[in-house]
Amino acid sequence: MKDLYENTFQSVEDIQQQFEEHNYICNSQIATCAYIAYNLQKPIMVEGPAGVGKTELAKTTAEILGVPLVRLQCYEGLDESKALYEWKYGKQLLYTQLLKDKLSEVLDGATGLRESMAKLESHDDLFFSEGFLEPRPLYRALQEEHGCVLLIDEIDKSDQQFEAFLLEILAEFQVSIPELGTLGAKIKPLVFLTSNNTREMSDALKRRCLHLHIDFPDEKLERRILNSRVPNLSENLRHEVVSFVQQIRELDIKKVPSISETIDWAKTLLLLHTEHLESDVVKETLNVILKFEEDIEAVSGQISSFIKKAHKE
Amino acid sequence: MQQTLEDFFKVVRSAGVNISVADSIETSKTVELVGYGDRGILRDALALSLAKTTEEKEKLYECFEQFFAFDAFQKTSLLKPQPGPTDKTEQQAGQPPAGEQQAVEQEQAPAEYKGDLELAKMLLRNDKAELAQTMKKAARKANITDIWLFTQKGINTQKIMNEMGLRELNKEITSLGKGDCPAERALSGQLRTGQKYLFQEVRNFVEQQLSMFGKTASQTIHEEFLKSSRLSNIEKRDFEVMVKIVQKMAKRLSSMHSKKRKRKDRGQLDFRKTLRSNVAFDGVMFNIFWKSKVIEKPRILALCDISPSVSSYSRFLLLFLYSLSDVLDRIDTCVFTNSLIQVNDIFDQYPVQQAVEKITNDFGMGGSDYGNTLLDLKNDYMDKIDNKTTVIILGDARNNNLAPQTEVMKLLYQRAKRVIWLTPEMESFWGTGDSEMLKYKAYCNIVKECNTITHLEQMVDTILKVSAQTA
């Protein structure tokens, strides 16, 4: 297995091409970002609406580079013990119970408290060694033999404390564990942080990252994405589907359909052997792209005009 | 190229994007990596490493297009490029003197330029690229990036042109124009046209630079001025800017104070939480929890005098308070001139700015009667005030010689957590004429002169700080 930084990203075009080979169609901005992040070993903060391929970007990068993807899903209340490491308290407790009998052997006839303590201290701090350490994603990412892609997903859902804690890792790629000392990365992981912008991230965190904003793709790019993800879809239908979805995105609705929903819809239509968009089929499958009753109602009235326009294009 | 990059940072900074030294170092590395070869990639790379939000990205793209635009000397010069010596035709004598009419000048074949002034040669050759290059160099020498006021346009144009060799050019023009030879005079005229063209282009260039480098400078000066001027002197046309300033201040304050929700009380064990968490470990205390205190958001009752003399102050106080809704628990607002009117519903119905406008327009008539207002407060609102309420009164305490009703103030002081009085008047005016300030002062925790937006900010900051400390 090759190390993370042995597989080189030669140029921006090279990256774009490699992504395409792995069915991830991206614009030059995303490729440039990956190129810089890879070569300067900087984390990337990816922002944008849900379903535009933020997580997918990290997954594909890991695939191309041939390294594992370590994922840390953030949520409110996430703390060090869930993200970095935890001591296996249960195991420690069990071992102390089991080894109780061995204690007299260890102490070996020591008399008095002072002597017993000295004897105990002469043994290693076995209960706080790596055997009792429960590694969590961040710890695992630093310990990966060949490097990895670390995906810190939905960072905006975590607390401010956790964000501050991340700073050390993102800047130095090392963490301090009081019982074991400071632990550096074997090979610096390539870090992706994703955010849906539910809250503003701190300047300190932003400063350490490249800031990439992925928006909904334009019609041409979306058709290419659809072509690579659902290759069996006929060209006509692909045009119609993309045009229809693009028209919905212009409406003022609760949740506009994202790329992943377009793909799902295309797959659904394929399954139903649809050749052209027709109002009946669209009406029945509208719940694949729209997730709120109000949105479906809002769009229902305009289906025929949307289809008409989609057919024209 | 490093200099170019630094100039670009300057432009981006003046557009309002914060770039720290660390950012600029990182960006230089990035640019080194991607190179200047591909304009699109360079643009993306700069946006990725400098901009931290989508808005900043847009600003940055705009700056990029402006900064890396090469449109100097793109307008066609009035001069035709002078033909080379090989195809030079014989000059005709007896033509009208040069410098009268351009059309005539151009028709007449001027003498070949034999001097060694580079600038003159460039102008006659109409060498746009060379001219642009020389101008950029001269501009750098003249420190054009330091331009930030429109009044500096003239001097900067002059500096750049001098740097390019204007003085020498002028001398050349005069000496050529003096002679008797019509061809030389024609040449002098041609150079003069060239000089005008040069002036136009340099002037354009300086204007462009001003719009890039000086964009925020003049705004900042204006804002600083507004921050320190008395609120009653602020003119209506500046209200919009003021609203922005207030919102900016409020955002800063709320981000400063919104973080502290709980204060750990280390040393006091939270037994219940600790036991619950350690049940899994047989009651052995691995995880320890300390007691903590929740910091309560301050609850505010604002009483604002909106009689004509004080209304402009009230306007901004209200704007400030309502921009701080993240860090305040609840704001109750009453306005008064001679009686108390609760205006919460207006704030519920309209956006803050509109609400403030409506309130001052609808109720701001008549002279103040603090005594009657306090009686209203006692009758209608006293039961809503408890030891968690901070009462802010804004007014000049000029009671038009009516009864001051200080006993209500005393009651208020005893019930509320804090009573803060903000007055637009300076301390030396307190108690003079019909002012009851000194009487009321006895029953207030804080009385502060407050007549600029900066005073207001300090005041609100104190309120938030104190509430966090006394929780």
Side-chain angles (χ1 to χ4, degrees), chain A residues 58-218:
Chain A
K59 279 188 194 163
T60 315
T61 313
E63 242 174 69
I64 293 174
L65 294 171
V67 288
L69 174 85
V70 178
R71 181 173 174 163
L72 172 68
Q73 175 69 44
C74 296
Y75 51 85
E76 215 179 303
L78 176 71
D79 59 2
E80 271 178 68
S81 65
K82 294 279 177 299
L84 184 60
Y85 75 98
E86 199 171 15
W87 291 110
K88 294 176 180 166
Y89 297 124
K91 194 175 166 188
Q92 283 172 334
L93 210 62
L94 193 67
Y95 274 47
T96 41
Q97 296 293 330
L98 286 173
L99 297 175
K100 231 179 200 170
D101 304 337
K102 298 273 174 205
L103 204 61
S104 55
E105 280 175 34
V106 173
L107 294 179
D108 196 20
T111 51
L113 205 57
R114 189 183 297 270
E115 211 175 308
S116 314
M117 282 298 261
K119 275 246 158 109
L120 268 181
E121 272 166 13
S122 68
H123 291 269
D124 285 338
D125 226 350
L126 286 176
F127 281 97
F128 288 100
S129 59
E130 296 210 19
F132 289 94
L133 195 79
E134 179 77 67
R136 301 283 186 201
L138 291 179
Y139 185 89
R140 281 212 316 274
L142 295 180
Q143 290 295 85
E144 275 298 337
E145 214 46 59
H146 301 282
C148 68
V149 170
L150 171 63
L151 168 65
I152 302 176
D153 220 356
E154 305 195 330
I155 175 78
D156 50 332
K157 299 234 170 80
S158 69
D159 309 320
Q160 257 154 351
Q161 292 94 315
F162 182 72
E163 208 185 305
F165 157 75
L166 265 186
L167 294 181
E168 187 188 359
I169 295 185
L170 293 183
E172 313 293 337
F173 290 101
Q174 64 174 34
V175 284
S176 311
I177 299 176
E179 295 87 350
L180 298 177
T182 307
L183 190 92
K186 289 190 171 156
I187 288 177
K188 285 184 184 176
L190 188 58
V191 186
F192 287 84
L193 298 116
T194 74
S195 154
N196 287 332
N197 261 339
T198 50
R199 77 176 170 88
E200 187 94 345
M201 309 310 298
S202 75
D203 286 346
L205 187 70
K206 278 182 178 172
R207 206 191 65 65
R208 284 166 174 80
C209 308
L210 296 170
H211 182 266
L212 175 67
H213 183 86
I214 306 184
D215 214 338
F216 293 120
D218 58 12

Side-chain angles (χ1 to χ4, degrees), chain B residues 5-190:
Chain B
L5 206 55
E6 274 164 29
D7 286 348
F8 179 66
F9 293 156
K10 234 179 194 180
V11 174
V12 179
R13 273 194 196 117
S14 75
V17 179
N18 282 333
I19 302 175
S20 63
V21 181
D23 282 340
S24 57
I25 296 172
E26 292 288 327
T27 310
S28 304
K29 277 189 206 158
T30 311
V31 172
E32 209 174 292
L33 178 72
V34 298
Y36 288 90
D38 188 319
R39 190 184 161 93
I41 292 180
L42 176 67
R43 197 181 71 144
D44 286 341
L46 285 170
L48 285 165
S49 49
L50 285 178
K52 306 294 176 210
T53 60
T54 326
E55 295 84 60
E56 284 188 357
K57 225 160 242 190
E58 266 164 35
K59 277 185 197 164
L60 198 120
Y61 282 143
E62 214 173 279
C63 290
F64 185 88
E65 292 305 332
Q66 220 177 354
F67 186 80
F68 290 103
F70 298 99
D71 52 1
F73 293 98
Q74 292 308 304
K75 258 190 278 167
T76 22
S77 157
L78 297 167
L79 277 179
K80 279 182 191 159
Q82 201 178 42
T86 42
D87 53 20
K88 193 171 88 80
T89 47
E90 204 53 45
Q91 290 150 21
Q92 307 250 318
Q95 296 286 336
E100 278 184 18
Q101 278 183 352
Q102 278 168 13
V104 183
E105 270 170 32
Q106 308 248 333
E107 278 165 22
Q108 181 191 28
E112 191 195 344
Y113 180 64
K114 291 198 181 85
D116 53 0
L117 185 65
E118 264 315 307
L119 181 62
K121 283 185 197 162
M122 278 188 263
L123 281 172
L124 290 170
R125 272 205 309 272
N126 205 1
D127 190 343
K128 290 172 184 169
E130 191 78 13
L131 278 169
Q133 192 97 33
T134 321
M135 180 176 70
K136 292 248 162 94
K137 269 187 205 155
R140 189 159 290 159
K141 272 193 191 156
N143 288 333
I144 186 75
T145 53
D146 291 340
I147 188 171
W148 53 300
L149 282 179
F150 72 96
T151 48
Q152 294 168 314
K153 266 193 311 200
I155 180 106
N156 273 296
T157 314
Q158 200 64 32
K159 264 193 205 165
I160 294 176
M161 287 189 61
N162 284 344
E163 202 65 56
M164 288 174 83
L166 178 70
R167 282 205 193 98
E168 292 76 9
L169 183 69
N170 278 339
K171 267 187 211 158
E172 208 80 344
I173 291 172
T174 334
S175 75
L176 283 171
K178 263 185 201 161
D180 294 331
C181 173
E184 273 188 2
R185 284 220 298 269
L187 180 65
S188 155
Q190 216 175 15

